């Protein structure tokens, strides 16, 4: 059973639903989650929040947080995950914001810098990872990393 099949099986068995708020992946995480038959049992909606305005409007990221920390930051992915969780009323939310390139990187946040958020009704986690490769490779790696976060949570948390 591959990662997405495990996630689908586990969420369905638990009768739990995941949502996502994506920036640099532009909906690829939602596409991955819905790539298995029966995905409507555990996925109802996702938010593609590519612009700062979309992050504020759709998942309630605070404009001051964006101004102070930038879109690619721990603070923003935490707010994205929480906002998506609240807006969807789901059990879990994954968020992704990063710099897929080829432009947009800085010395502090080079191309390939991606932040991930994961929210449950009890807690919010955030993690940063540095990927390499082309724009498409970075985006695909980010999706797989987000799925790995969810898979790990499901494997280490009782139903």
């Amino acid at each position: 059973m591959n990662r997405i099949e495990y996630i689908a099986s586990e969420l369905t068995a638990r009768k739990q639903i995941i949502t996502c708020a994506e920036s640099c992946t532009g909906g690829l995480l939602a596409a991955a989650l819905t790539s298995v038959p029966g995905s409507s049992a555990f996925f109802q909606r996702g938010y593609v929040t590519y612009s700062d305005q979309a992050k504020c409007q759709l998942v309630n990221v605070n404009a001051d947080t964006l101004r102070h920390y930038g879109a690619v930051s721990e603070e923003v992915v935490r707010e994205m995950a929480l906002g998506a969780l609240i807006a969807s009323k789901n059990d879990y939310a994954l968020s992704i914001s990063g710099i897929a390139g080829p432009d947009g990187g800085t010395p502090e946040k080079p191309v390939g810098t991606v932040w991930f958020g994961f929210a449950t009704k009890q807690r919010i986690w955030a993690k940063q990872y540095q990927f390499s490769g082309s724009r498409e490779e970075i985006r695909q790696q980010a999706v797989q990393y987000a799925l790995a976060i969810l898979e790990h949570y499901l494997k280490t948390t009782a139903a």
Side-chain angles (χ1 to χ4, degrees):
M1 181 180 300
N2 69 27
R3 175 174 289 144
I4 194 67
E5 289 168 341
Y6 170 81
I7 289 168
S9 171
E10 194 63 27
L11 288 173
T12 300
R14 294 181 186 207
K15 295 182 172 40
Q16 294 177 326
I17 300 174
I18 180 90
T19 189
C20 55
E22 305 178 64
S23 187
C24 67
T25 49
L28 292 173
L29 178 58
L33 287 165
T34 58
S35 67
V36 294
S39 56
S40 61
F42 64 87
F43 187 86
Q44 297 174 339
R45 75 194 71 183
Y47 305 90
V48 177
T49 58
Y50 207 72
S51 69
D52 288 356
Q53 181 182 17
K55 287 174 183 65
C56 296
Q57 289 177 343
L58 296 175
V59 293
N60 206 29
V61 172
N62 189 306
D64 290 336
T65 305
L66 283 160
R67 273 193 295 277
H68 192 266
Y69 298 102
V72 181
S73 65
E74 175 178 0
E75 293 78 7
V76 167
V77 295
R78 283 176 175 274
E79 289 188 19
M80 287 172 68
L82 179 61
L85 190 72
I86 292 168
S88 67
K89 297 179 175 63
N90 289 162
D91 299 291
Y92 307 115
L94 279 165
S95 62
I96 304 174
S97 187
I99 305 164
D103 303 318
T106 66
E108 299 80 31
K109 295 177 185 178
V111 169
T113 302
V114 182
W115 273 97
F116 300 86
F118 179 61
T120 69
K121 292 175 182 174
Q122 292 79 33
R123 189 167 169 211
I124 305 170
W125 293 264
K127 184 152 178 63
Q128 185 264 327
Y129 199 84
Q130 185 67 43
F131 299 103
S132 60
S134 68
R135 176 179 178 79
E136 194 50 40
E137 288 168 336
I138 290 167
R139 287 163 35 110
Q140 289 297 335
Q141 290 171 76
V143 168
Q144 290 306 310
Y145 195 85
L147 292 172
I149 290 169
L150 178 57
E151 178 186 35
H152 176 77
Y153 178 83
L154 293 171
K155 284 184 173 178
T156 57
T157 306

